[in-house]
Amino acid sequence: MSVPKVVIVGRPNVGKSSLFNWLAGRRVAIVDDKPGVTRDRVSYLMSEDDRFFEIIDTGGIGIIDDDSLTEEINSQIEFAIESADLILFVVDARSGLMGLDDEVAKRLRYLSTPIICVANKTDRPLLDSQADEFYKLGRGKVIKVSTIANRNRDELLEMIVERLPEIYPDAESEEPVEPELKIAIVGRRNVGKSTFVNTVAKAERMIVSEVAGTTRDSVDVRY
């Protein structure tokens, strides 16, 4: 069976990339206070309690990109959502419930995919009651976490593993084969690196644009 995909979504600046790195246990995605830094789908292969799964970071839903790449970013988010086996809907406990959170909830409302609402930036128990307002989004239990205070990481991972697709006895081992070769695609700006990756992967895995510096994160593509 294919490796399950756990997709992280939410409005800009709720800490999706910080959550991604926190779960991965290493700095994979770029983290910045400026909204809209993440554009492509950034992924990392994880193993927890003998289960393998791939976590995927996405751009902020509702972002208006400075380089007019909003449509391309939304396409990457949509690809991720459509392929997801589990979705982490990330919100910001410090900022509280905002209109754009409602818009994200509406976008996810009719999905059959399991969804966990993750109230990030709940840095201390005093903020727990403030995070409770996210129950209004109708996504069931809200788990309160903090990437800065390292709060409730194990609890979130436990919830993720519980909601992964069931392994059937007659299914092949889900442990992914270790790559025999890792290739890095490098070069100066605008020489066509992202186009090259998409061509080899036979998928729109990277945003392609004439805008220099469109690709910001280092993106792994399993092929």
Side-chain angles (χ1 to χ4, degrees), residues 2 24 33 39 86 100 107 117 134-135 145 169 189 192 203 221:
S2 61
D33 290 335
R39 287 171 167 170
L86 174 65
L100 201 48
R107 186 166 180 174
C117 186
F134 293 106
Y135 281 102
V145 307
R189 294 180 172 189
V221 179

Side-chain angles (χ1 to χ4, degrees), residues 3-213:
V3 178
K5 292 179 172 57
V6 178
V7 175
I8 301 171
V9 302
R11 64 174 177 83
N13 270 25
V14 292
K16 295 185 299 299
S17 294
S18 295
L19 184 81
F20 176 90
N21 290 343
W22 184 56
L23 291 175
R26 62 185 63 192
R27 191 177 186 274
V28 181
I30 295 174
V31 175
D32 196 283
D33 290 335
K34 179 183 177 182
V37 170
T38 302
R39 287 171 167 170
D40 292 292
R41 288 170 283 158
V42 183
S43 62
Y44 182 75
L45 184 65
M46 289 191 61
S47 175
E48 183 72 20
D49 290 341
D50 297 323
R51 293 297 308 272
F52 284 90
F53 59 93
E54 188 176 24
I55 55 172
I56 299 173
D57 189 21
T58 62
I61 294 177
I63 189 70
I64 304 299
D65 186 73
D66 293 338
D67 294 323
S68 301
L69 295 172
T70 302
E71 184 177 343
E72 287 83 355
I73 294 171
N74 280 329
S75 293
Q76 291 292 314
I77 296 170
E78 197 60 38
F79 284 139
I81 291 175
E82 289 176 357
S83 67
D85 295 288
L86 174 65
I87 293 174
L88 303 185
F89 176 12
V90 185
V91 292
D92 184 339
R94 286 195 307 226
S95 298
L97 183 61
M98 302 183 71
L100 201 48
D101 293 316
D102 285 317
E103 292 302 314
V104 177
K106 289 177 183 177
R107 186 166 180 174
L108 303 177
R109 182 165 297 164
Y110 299 106
L111 296 178
S112 58
T113 309
I115 298 173
I116 300 173
C117 186
V118 182
N120 191 24
K121 305 183 186 180
T122 316
D123 301 329
R124 55 189 187 277
L126 288 174
L127 290 172
D128 284 0
S129 59
Q130 185 168 317
D132 285 339
E133 68 174 329
F134 293 106
Y135 281 102
K136 297 177 183 177
L137 297 174
R139 301 314 327 181
K141 181 179 179 181
V142 176
I143 180 167
K144 295 112 177 181
V145 307
S146 171
T147 60
I148 294 176
N150 194 28
R151 187 172 180 227
N152 291 338
R153 179 179 182 272
D154 290 342
E155 288 80 354
L156 176 55
L157 284 171
E158 183 179 347
M159 291 179 69
I160 290 172
V161 171
E162 287 176 352
R163 289 160 175 77
L164 291 177
E166 183 179 354
I167 302 176
Y168 296 99
D170 58 346
E172 295 181 1
S173 171
E174 69 163 7
E175 181 173 350
V177 177
E178 282 298 312
E180 296 181 2
L181 180 67
K182 295 181 180 180
I183 300 174
I185 311 300
V186 300
R188 64 173 176 83
R189 294 180 172 189
N190 276 26
V191 292
K193 299 184 296 297
S194 295
T195 301
F196 179 81
V197 170
N198 288 347
T199 302
V200 173
K202 297 180 181 179
E204 295 300 314
R205 192 61 184 79
M206 308 282 296
I207 294 176
V208 175
S209 168
E210 295 298 325
V211 176

